[in-house]
Amino acid sequence: MAETAIGKYRCAGRKAVLLLFWLLAACAAPPSATKPLKTKYVVIVVIDGTRWSETWGTVPGIIPNMSTVLMPMGVFLPNFFNDAYTYTNSGHAAITTGVNQPIDNYGDELPANPSIFQYFLKQTGKPATAAWIVSSKDKLHILANTSRPGWENAFQPSVNAGKSGPGTGYRMDSLTLVEAKRILMNYKPNLMLINFMEPDGFAHAGNWENYLRGISRDDRYVKELWDFLNKDETFRGKTTLFITSDHGRHLDEVDGGYMEHGDNCPGCEQIYLLALGPDFRRGMVETRHTLIDIAPTVARLLNLEMDSVVVVPRVDTTFVELAMDTTLVAQKRDSIRLEIKMDTTMLKGRVMEELFR
C-alpha cells in the first residue's frame, strides 16, 4: 500500500515536472509565438528621406500628429536605422525583403530576393490585388519583383506608382493618399506599402521651406490614413500600421547638407519606426533595430515563412592581363573588370519581438 502511494506520488511528481517545463517553455517563448495574433492587414508607410533633426529631434514641431496623437497609441523605436545603403531603392528593398542590397537608384534593377508581398501571395494563393505597392515615386515599381530564379515575374503584387506608372514621373503625396484610400476601400488588401516622397524631392531641389512643408503634410496624411483604417469595418481592430523612413539626410556639416544623402554619416543612417496595431504594446522600445527587421516582423504578423537563406550581390574585382599587341600595353597596370557575384548568406533581419504585447 505504501509502494502504491509512493508510485502515485512519483507519477504526480513527473506530471508536475512536465507541467513546470511546459510553463517555463511558454514563458520563454516570444509572446507573438504563443498566442493567436489579431492582425489580418498590414500597411507600411515610408516617408521618404526625412532627417531626425526636423522630425523626432524636435517634437511636436512639425509632426504633431505622429508625436502627440499616434505615438501614445503605439510603440516607438528611436534607435532605428538604415545602417547600409542610404538611398531610396535600396532602403525600400531592405524594408520589403529583409536584406541590405546595393541597387541602382536610377534604373530598373530588381531586388535580388523575393519580398514579403511575393511570400504572401505565394503562400496564401490570393490574387495580386490582395497586396499593393502604392508610391509617389514611379521608380519603386521595382519592389513588386525580384531577379531571383524561381521568383522572378511570379507572385507579383499590384502596383500604383508615379503619375501613371513607371517612367511617368513623381506625383504629389496628396494624390498618393487618395489612391491608397481608394485601393483600400475597393480591394481590401492584406498588405500595402505606401511611399510618400515630398520631403526627399523638395530637399534634393534645395527647397528648405517645402521640405519642411512636405514633412508636415505627410504627418497629417498618416493620421488621416490611420483614422480611415479605424473607421472601416474591415480594417478596424485588425490592422497594423508601420511608419518609417528609408533613409535620413546629411548632417549640415557634411557636403551638400540636408539636400543630399547616401553615405554612413549619422544623419543618413538615423531614422525611426512608429508601429500601431492590435498585437503591439504601447510605449517606447530602446532596443536597436534596422530596416531589415521590418519584413520578418510583418511575416510573423501575417503567419508567413521567409527563406532563411538569401543572396547578397557582391562586386568582384578581376584583373585582366592585357594582350601584347594592345595599344594600352604602355599602361603599368592591367585592366580591371568589375563583376557582380551572388553570395549566399543567412537572413539577418529578425522579428522585433519587443514590439509585441
Side-chain angles (χ1 to χ4, degrees):
M1 188 170 178
E3 288 180 0
T4 303
I6 291 172
K8 288 181 178 179
Y9 177 80
R10 286 176 176 167
C11 182
R14 283 195 296 272
K15 288 181 179 178
V17 170
L18 289 172
L19 178 61
L20 178 60
F21 273 118
W22 183 85
L23 289 171
L24 288 173
C27 291
S32 58
T34 58
K35 64 180 181 181
L37 299 177
K38 298 177 181 178
T39 297
K40 304 298 179 188
Y41 306 91
V42 173
V43 178
I44 304 167
V45 174
V46 185
I47 303 178
D48 203 313
T50 55
R51 197 166 61 168
W52 179 269
S53 52
E54 285 78 63
T55 53
W56 296 93
T58 312
V59 292
I62 56 176
I63 57 166
N65 291 293
M66 285 192 284
S67 63
T68 65
V69 180
L70 298 182
M71 183 179 172
M73 294 189 286
V75 56
F76 180 65
L77 282 72
N79 294 317
F80 196 77
F81 301 89
N82 175 347
D83 60 357
Y85 306 102
T86 55
Y87 43 94
T88 297
N89 288 22
S90 286
H92 281 78
I95 292 171
T96 58
T97 67
V99 179
N100 286 318
Q101 172 193 346
I103 298 179
D104 181 4
N105 204 42
Y106 303 100
D108 293 323
E109 182 182 357
L110 299 176
N113 296 279
S115 69
I116 45 175
F117 298 92
Q118 291 175 292
Y119 284 120
F120 173 79
L121 293 175
K122 180 179 182 180
Q123 293 173 30
T124 63
K126 292 195 173 189
T129 51
W132 282 81
I133 307 290
V134 183
S135 173
S136 292
K137 289 186 173 181
D138 57 333
K139 66 180 182 177
L140 289 178
H141 70 91
I142 65 162
L143 301 176
N145 204 353
T146 179
S147 59
R148 187 164 172 178
W151 288 88
E152 187 173 7
N153 299 324
F155 313 110
Q156 294 183 73
S158 299
V159 177
N160 180 301
K163 292 178 180 177
S164 57
T168 61
Y170 297 175
R171 70 178 168 212
M172 301 306 290
D173 291 342
S174 58
L175 299 178
T176 295
L177 177 64
V178 169
E179 287 299 293
K181 289 166 67 175
R182 178 186 65 80
I183 291 166
L184 287 165
M185 186 179 299
N186 292 339
Y187 297 101
K188 308 297 183 185
N190 296 90
L191 184 56
M192 175 182 283
L193 180 140
I194 302 171
N195 160 268
F196 288 139
M197 72 87 195
E198 287 186 23
D200 187 64
F202 284 120
H204 280 304
N207 191 324
W208 176 258
E209 258 185 41
N210 281 352
Y211 163 61
L212 298 180
R213 189 174 299 161
I215 295 173
S216 178
R217 285 174 175 168
D218 290 343
D219 172 71
R220 188 169 72 249
Y221 297 158
V222 292
K223 168 64 164 52
E224 187 175 332
L225 178 67
W226 183 244
D227 289 344
F228 170 86
L229 292 168
N230 281 282
K231 288 175 183 175
D232 187 281
E233 185 177 348
T234 300
F235 298 111
R236 185 172 57 249
K238 294 172 283 187
T239 302
T240 292
L241 174 66
F242 293 92
I243 307 166
T244 189
S245 188
D246 53 340
H247 57 76
R249 315 202 72 78
H250 286 332
L251 300 176
D252 289 338
E253 59 269 24
V254 178
D255 187 34
Y258 83 97
M259 291 186 289
E260 301 297 337
H261 58 87
D263 65 7
N264 62 347
C265 80
C268 287
E269 291 194 344
Q270 172 74 66
I271 46 177
Y272 62 89
L273 178 67
L274 176 60
L276 306 89
D279 301 300
F280 288 165
R281 65 178 66 192
R282 296 183 180 184
M284 188 177 296
V285 169
E286 296 286 354
T287 309
R288 187 184 192 279
H289 283 283
T290 70
L291 283 178
I292 61 174
D293 297 329
I294 292 179
T297 305
V298 172
R300 170 69 61 82
L301 288 166
L302 296 180
N303 195 30
L304 306 176
E305 291 290 333
M306 295 182 66
D307 292 343
S308 58
V309 178
V310 296
V311 294
V312 180
R314 171 177 58 85
V315 178
D316 185 66
T317 303
T318 303
F319 290 92
V320 183
E321 290 187 11
L322 298 173
M324 290 303 294
D325 60 349
T326 179
T327 56
L328 300 177
V329 74
Q331 285 189 191
K332 292 183 179 180
R333 299 193 62 177
D334 293 332
S335 175
I336 297 175
R337 182 174 65 223
L338 300 180
E339 295 180 348
I340 301 297
K341 294 189 176 180
M342 294 295 180
D343 290 339
T344 58
T345 185
M346 299 301 293
L347 179 70
K348 292 182 173 61
R350 57 195 174 98
V351 176
M352 295 180 278
E353 298 290 356
E354 303 89 344
L355 274 59
F356 291 84
R357 295 180 187 273

